[in-house]
Amino acid sequence: MSANEAILDTLSASFLHQGSDRDKTLDSTFSHRIELCRAWGVGDKTPLQVLDVGCGQGESTAVLAYFVGKSGHVTGLDPAEPSYGAPFTLQQSQDYLKASSLGGRVSFVRDNLPDFLDSDAYHSFDAAVFCHSLWYFSTRDLIRSQFAALVKARFVRVFLAEYTFENDALEQRPHQLAARAQMRLHALKKQDAGGMKPGEPNIRGALEMEELLKLAQSAGWSVARRGVVSPPEAMRDGYWEAKIVTSRSFQEGVLSQGFSNAQEESVLAFVPQIEQAMEQLEYVGERVTTMDVAWAVLERQQV
């Protein structure tokens, strides 16, 4: 059995999913996060106290918990309602993980980052993680405030991972267009940083890594290392996002917002583009893949 297979066995047994066997889709989600942990260097030296910001149901929290070891700990932080998520809610998934063999290494807090750092529940951490969670923030100011709050709280380092639009492969185009569509929708809705609502598309800001790093640097962080990884082919996030935007419910949701005709068209114009890209892939016998992922390790600037 390979090292990754052994890790996946542990993670699968610790995470709530349908059926008793390992789920291939979940395996790909975990495999991607395993690659990120290795790129970041999590667990290479001493055990870490890690804050997983925007943890959701806990996929990243589980993988981080494996890598920090028995002496480390991961706190998953998310402001979403416990009832959010499907087919299992955040509460169900988080409770299952806490009851697993990794449970002694994890805890969960329902809060946003600045409020948590100012609360009595806050304690010292070695690192914060934003693993596919920064696209959930709608504005640059909100993202910068996250980095600034971590500087104020004297975190030593930050691990980042977010999708990048740089790869122009046709296979990734539906995912890219779907992200742009959701980004445009949320820009028109002018939403704040509140928790995700049931049925609401996840993507809001969709900033490139270069922009994210500039915001981090302006808040007091330096880039120590960075790189790009390609998610496993079986990781279907790109396909799911494309299907969300081309669904009737998404389009009806756009039309129900009360936007002007021009505003509606600025969002809905992405739908035929996505459909055309998916048809092209089907024609050449390929399928939608998930966008490449840019990662970085940040260290607090010395003053």
Side-chain angles (χ1 to χ4, degrees), residues 55-303:
C55 66
Q57 293 181 322
E59 292 95 334
S60 298
T61 310
V63 179
L64 288 163
Y66 184 93
F67 276 85
V68 299
K70 294 180 180 178
S71 300
H73 193 85
V74 183
T75 300
L77 182 71
D78 202 293
E81 293 288 340
S83 59
Y84 180 79
F88 304 106
T89 66
L90 266 66
Q91 189 71 64
Q92 291 172 320
S93 295
Q94 293 174 2
D95 286 348
Y96 193 92
L97 179 56
K98 286 190 293 184
S100 74
S101 63
L102 297 175
R105 311 178 194 181
V106 301
S107 57
F108 291 97
V109 177
R110 184 185 165 215
D111 207 346
N112 61 65
L113 179 61
D115 287 347
F116 171 68
L117 296 179
D118 286 336
S119 72
D120 292 338
Y122 171 71
H123 60 84
S124 179
F125 290 90
D126 299 300
V129 174
F130 292 97
C131 185
H132 296 296
S133 58
L134 285 173
W135 276 17
Y136 293 178
F137 294 94
S138 57
T139 70
R140 288 168 172 79
D141 286 344
L142 285 170
I143 294 172
R144 187 184 184 282
S145 72
Q146 308 301 300
F147 291 124
L150 293 171
V151 169
K152 182 181 178 182
R154 305 191 63 80
F155 276 67
V156 176
R157 62 184 61 85
V158 177
F159 302 126
L160 302 182
E162 201 48 88
Y163 297 115
T164 174
F165 294 93
E166 291 184 0
N167 190 333
D168 61 358
L170 178 62
E171 293 86 354
Q172 295 186 14
R173 184 164 173 74
H175 189 192
Q176 294 171 352
L177 290 168
R180 299 287 192 197
Q182 293 181 52
M183 178 183 178
R184 177 57 180 159
L185 172 61
H186 284 295
L188 291 173
K189 291 171 72 173
K190 297 180 180 178
Q191 293 192 338
D192 59 18
M196 304 303 295
K197 300 177 179 60
E200 182 177 318
N202 290 334
I203 299 172
R204 296 184 177 191
L207 298 184
E208 271 281 17
M209 181 59 80
E210 290 296 337
E211 296 176 274
L212 295 173
L213 293 179
K214 288 179 182 178
L215 292 171
Q217 289 169 322
S218 71
W221 293 96
S222 297
V223 180
R225 293 184 293 111
R226 58 183 300 189
V228 176
V229 299
S230 295
E233 186 175 336
M235 187 168 144
R236 302 291 280 154
D237 295 51
Y239 173 78
W240 293 331
E241 295 294 352
K243 294 298 287 185
I244 285 172
V245 175
T246 55
S247 69
R248 181 184 298 273
S249 61
F250 179 86
Q251 296 170 59
E252 290 175 346
V254 173
L255 296 174
S256 71
Q257 295 295 324
F259 297 146
S260 68
N261 289 340
Q263 290 173 326
E264 289 177 354
E265 179 58 24
S266 71
V267 179
L268 296 179
F270 286 99
V271 174
Q273 295 178 47
I274 296 170
E275 292 173 338
Q276 182 180 21
M278 295 177 77
E279 288 171 2
Q280 288 178 304
L281 287 173
E282 185 177 355
Y283 180 76
V284 298
E286 299 291 340
R287 66 176 188 170
V288 176
T289 61
T290 300
M291 282 189 274
D292 288 350
V293 175
W295 62 267
V297 177
L298 309 182
E299 295 178 349
R300 197 171 67 239
Q301 294 173 6
Q302 299 299 315
V303 295

